[in-house]
Amino acid sequence: MIQTAFPYITILLFIASILVYVEHKSKAKFFEYLPAIVILYFLVMTLSSLGVWSKTQEINHTYKAFKSNLLPAMIFLMLLQSDIRKILKLGKKILLTFFIASFSISIGFIVSFMIFHNLFEPNAWKAFGALSGSWMGGTGNMVAIQGALNLPDSDMGYVLLIDSIDYAIWVMILLALVPFATKFNSWVKADGSILESLSSSLNIEDTKRDIDFASLFMMLGLALVVSVVSQQISLFMPTTDFLTKNTWIVIFATIIGIIAGVT
């Protein structure tokens, strides 16, 4: 049984590295329906339940320190690939459609929670918030919201499971509707070629460059600096039950990441 911090962190990083390697090398469609992060959560939960490590004071302290310090850094690194200028090239109509869709998703989650909130725990709204974030911005957004709302990992496991199940069902529905896409576009008088041309142009502009060791080291160092700066700035911001210190940290790390992604 693991009782100290270093073996605990080592086994977590080892499991994560294996999943990333297998997902990258195998290109299996399995990971499209069950993302590596979902598998990671359930593997870690299973190992914890089996008593592979005990929740000693040292391990608990290390876990909290790593999570609070690395989450802003990871958000920053993730957003380095997001160039807001390319997003703006999609045009007003598509961007407006995206915001309307995001708004409808948020309304759907709010209404659902209002109807069934008596059946859930008092803090279930945090799980609903993280799940809605996934449908608005993907798994990375969901993890960021988890950190911002202090959603426990035990609850996050259920969120990831539901997200994967819903996503698989939604993909099957979309695939079933593909043959009707042309008729639907004709009915609503939509020009699907515009989106296809925009997607193609964005893919052409997305030229990938190899990252050398020096650049990788620089990015890691910069990400940690962003984490420290975000945490320090958050100390001076007003907080509420919803807008917590962690929320401010995520917001500042996101803003810095978006700005850096343009450069």
Side-chain angles (χ1 to χ4, degrees), residues 136-152:
M136 293 181 193
T139 306
N141 192 43
M142 176 171 57
V143 174
I145 294 177
Q146 178 205 6
L149 298 179
N150 289 323
L151 178 65

Side-chain angles (χ1 to χ4, degrees), residues 25-258:
K25 293 295 183 180
S26 66
K27 305 293 183 180
K29 290 187 177 181
F30 169 78
F31 289 102
E32 295 181 7
Y33 301 99
L34 196 63
I37 189 172
V38 177
I39 301 175
L40 176 62
Y41 260 90
F42 280 98
L43 278 177
V44 172
M45 290 174 61
T46 301
L47 293 177
S48 179
S49 300
L50 293 175
V52 176
W53 56 77
S54 57
K55 295 182 179 180
T56 62
Q57 183 177 358
E58 180 180 353
I59 287 181
N60 289 336
H61 177 74
T62 302
Y63 168 78
K64 293 178 181 178
F66 264 74
K67 182 178 180 180
S68 59
N69 290 312
L70 291 184
L71 178 61
M74 296 300 102
I75 292 174
F76 171 77
L77 290 175
M78 179 182 67
L79 290 173
L80 286 179
Q81 301 178 6
S82 303
D83 191 340
I84 193 68
R85 294 171 298 184
K86 292 183 179 181
I87 297 176
L88 294 176
K89 288 182 180 180
L90 293 174
K92 296 180 180 179
K93 290 184 178 180
I94 294 180
L95 291 177
L96 179 61
T97 302
F98 168 77
F99 285 116
I100 293 175
S102 298
F103 180 74
S104 66
I105 290 173
S106 63
I107 293 298
F109 274 92
I110 292 172
V111 172
S112 298
F113 182 77
M114 290 175 62
I115 296 174
F116 300 104
H117 71 278
N118 291 328
L119 302 176
F120 302 122
E121 297 179 354
N123 289 327
W125 64 271
K126 296 182 179 181
F128 273 74
L131 187 58
S132 66
S134 172
W135 285 86
M136 293 181 193
T139 306
N141 192 43
M142 176 171 57
V143 174
I145 294 177
Q146 178 205 6
L149 298 179
N150 289 323
L151 178 65
D153 288 337
S154 57
D155 294 341
M156 188 63 177
Y158 296 111
V159 172
L160 288 166
L161 178 61
I162 294 300
D163 183 56
S164 299
I165 294 174
D166 291 347
Y167 175 75
I169 296 174
W170 179 239
V171 168
M172 287 189 291
I173 294 174
L174 290 179
L175 292 176
L177 294 176
V178 168
F180 305 98
T182 303
K183 293 182 179 180
F184 180 80
N185 289 339
S186 176
W187 178 52
V188 298
K189 298 180 180 180
D191 188 1
S193 62
I194 297 177
L195 183 60
E196 293 177 1
S197 61
L198 284 172
S199 178
S200 300
S201 63
L202 290 176
N203 289 333
I204 293 174
E205 294 177 7
D206 186 20
T207 55
K208 295 183 178 180
R209 294 177 295 178
D210 293 332
I211 301 177
D212 55 30
F213 180 77
S215 299
L216 178 61
F217 222 70
M218 179 63 185
M219 284 195 300
L220 290 176
L222 184 59
L224 294 177
V225 170
V226 169
S227 176
V228 173
V229 171
S230 299
Q231 293 181 61
Q232 292 300 315
I233 297 176
S234 68
L235 297 176
F236 301 96
M237 305 305 296
T239 59
T240 63
D241 291 338
F242 176 76
L243 200 60
T244 63
K245 175 187 173 183
N246 286 341
T247 306
W248 282 115
I249 293 174
V250 171
I251 290 174
F252 287 124
T254 301
I255 293 174
I256 298 174
I258 292 175

